[in-house]
Amino acid sequence: MALLKRFVLKPSTFSRCLAGGVSSEIGRAHSAFAFGGPARTNTGENRPYFRCGHVRTLHSEAPHGTSIEVDLNRLDGEDTGIVEMQMCREKARNSLGRVFVAQMRELVATLHHDAAVRVVVIRSMVPGVFCAGADLKERAQMANVEAEHFVHGLRSLMNEIAALPMPTIAAVDGFALGGGLELALACDLRTAAHTAQMGLIETTRGLLPGAGGSQRLPRAVGFSVAKELIFTGRRVGGEQARQLGLVNRAVQQNQAGDAAYRDALSLAREILPQAPIAVRMAKEAMNRGIEVDIASGMAIEGMCYARVIPTRDRQEGMKAFIEKRKPNYIGE
């Protein structure tokens, strides 16, 4: 694991952002879902939604009287190495308020330097909602300069999420509007339920995507399609999002309302057994390479490849192939 710690990546210029949104847009749908259910386990199976107060906190510090709005859940057993970032600001539908953003930033910083984490799944614990976007009640109380500073902080947070060295998967089981979609776009991969609704709706509120949406969406769906979606503020469902390339997978919603999460967990399990240093270097090569000309991209690939050559995992991969068995990668 020591060698993997050396390969923790630093934020770079290819990383991008998050901002705006309208939490009021999803109130009616949110109220249609019931809360509660059995207690949660760490096995990755049979995980119904529950009230956010039940989330086990992993924050290093929690100011007295401050509720947990974003938390981490480290899976165990065969799923060891998968970490869930759970958004659980139930009353405000995971809108991006000050406390929510501060807690998420703290957890992202923790993940960035954790060599034991192989995959991160970002999910909502609030039924029917992924992230409602901006907290407009807070935003309305901000002066212009303060609002601009806050959005800059959101942009910085999403850069940090995009720069996480391990793969990240957004599980979109409900509304992801404005900053909520920008949060999903900051992840490497996205799964969505057919019933999910996604859109950069800022132009309908006199704004434009302010934390990466104007940059990430064109890279995901193409320039012309992104312009159409942003200019119109249009929303798309999960299946249309898959067809556009906005999400990797789209699945029918289940009775528990967590079909996208379950699909994201399945995808994480496919990534989990692969060589973690190789996966991290592949992410680095692709993310940095896409921002430059192909000759420079080839040079980046070569540098990343050179960092994999001396690893014990590479030797294990070759040995396992010769011995016709599954490799056991340890991140060294």
Side-chain angles (χ1 to χ4, degrees):
M1 199 64 71
L3 185 58
L4 183 53
K5 290 180 180 178
R6 290 171 51 197
F7 293 149
V8 171
L9 309 183
K10 297 179 180 179
S12 55
T13 55
F14 66 82
S15 306
R16 312 176 190 90
C17 355
L18 138 81
V22 182
S23 59
S24 60
E25 297 289 336
I26 60 178
R28 291 186 298 275
H30 174 266
S31 64
F33 287 85
F35 292 87
R40 186 178 174 81
T41 67
N42 287 354
T43 63
E45 299 293 344
N46 301 320
R47 302 173 144 197
Y49 286 111
F50 60 92
R51 291 189 184 276
C52 297
H54 294 174
V55 178
R56 175 176 55 86
T57 177
L58 294 179
H59 289 275
S60 60
E61 297 182 6
H64 181 70
T66 300
S67 62
I68 300 302
E69 298 185 359
V70 189
D71 210 351
L72 293 184
N73 182 42
R74 298 174 186 273
L75 306 193
D76 54 23
E78 294 184 354
D79 291 329
T80 298
I82 300 174
V83 174
E84 297 175 358
M85 182 176 291
Q86 302 172 335
M87 300 182 292
C88 50
R89 193 184 181 197
E90 179 182 334
K91 292 183 179 179
R93 307 179 186 98
N94 294 335
S95 60
L96 302 167
R98 290 186 177 92
V99 172
F100 184 100
V101 170
Q103 291 183 2
M104 180 171 283
R105 187 185 301 279
E106 177 190 352
L107 297 180
V108 169
T110 299
L111 291 171
H112 194 91
H113 299 288
D114 192 338
V117 180
R118 297 194 180 189
V119 189
V120 175
V121 176
I122 299 180
R123 67 171 302 198
S124 169
M125 306 307 295
V126 181
V129 180
F130 176 72
C131 174
D135 186 329
L136 295 185
K137 290 183 179 179
E138 280 192 6
R139 194 72 62 85
Q141 303 302 315
M142 296 180 185
N144 290 344
V145 173
E146 185 181 7
E148 184 177 359
H149 178 75
F150 184 75
V151 172
H152 177 79
L154 290 176
R155 189 176 301 117
S156 173
L157 171 61
M158 291 305 109
N159 284 340
E160 294 165 16
I161 291 175
L164 282 170
M166 70 291 291
T168 55
I169 307 171
V172 184
D173 271 305
F175 285 86
L177 302 176
L181 180 54
E182 289 178 297
L183 172 58
L185 285 167
C187 297
D188 297 305
L189 306 171
R190 289 164 291 282
T191 63
H194 287 178
T195 54
Q197 288 288 305
M198 289 160 274
L200 295 180
I201 62 171
E202 287 86 349
T203 56
T204 71
R205 297 296 183 265
L207 299 166
L208 75 155
S214 68
Q215 302 305 306
R216 281 200 174 93
L217 187 62
R219 287 165 168 79
V221 303
F223 208 57
S224 295
V225 173
K227 283 185 173 181
E228 181 178 344
L229 293 176
I230 291 174
F231 292 168
T232 62
R234 186 181 305 152
R235 309 176 190 186
V236 297
E239 177 56 25
Q240 186 179 2
R242 185 195 64 79
Q243 294 172 1
L244 293 173
L246 180 55
V247 301
N248 298 80
R249 301 182 179 189
V251 292
Q252 290 284 352
Q253 187 57 282
N254 57 26
Q255 188 172 1
D258 65 353
Y261 160 68
R262 291 179 181 274
D263 199 37
L265 185 60
S266 175
L267 184 54
R269 287 169 173 160
E270 289 186 55
I271 298 170
L272 188 60
Q274 313 313 324
I277 298 174
V279 171
R280 288 179 176 218
M281 289 299 99
K283 175 174 177 174
E284 174 82 341
M286 288 185 284
N287 281 359
R288 291 182 60 188
I290 197 65
E291 302 296 342
V292 299
D293 62 88
I294 192 166
S296 299
M298 292 293 186
I300 291 170
E301 180 186 89
M303 289 187 290
C304 292
Y305 196 92
R307 295 171 72 177
V308 176
I309 291 294
T311 64
R312 292 175 62 183
D313 279 351
R314 185 185 74 89
Q315 297 173 356
E316 166 64 10
M318 297 299 102
K319 186 177 180 181
F321 176 78
I322 294 171
E323 296 176 356
K324 298 182 179 180
R325 60 173 175 80
K326 291 183 179 181
N328 180 29
Y329 296 121
I330 59 175
E332 296 182 359

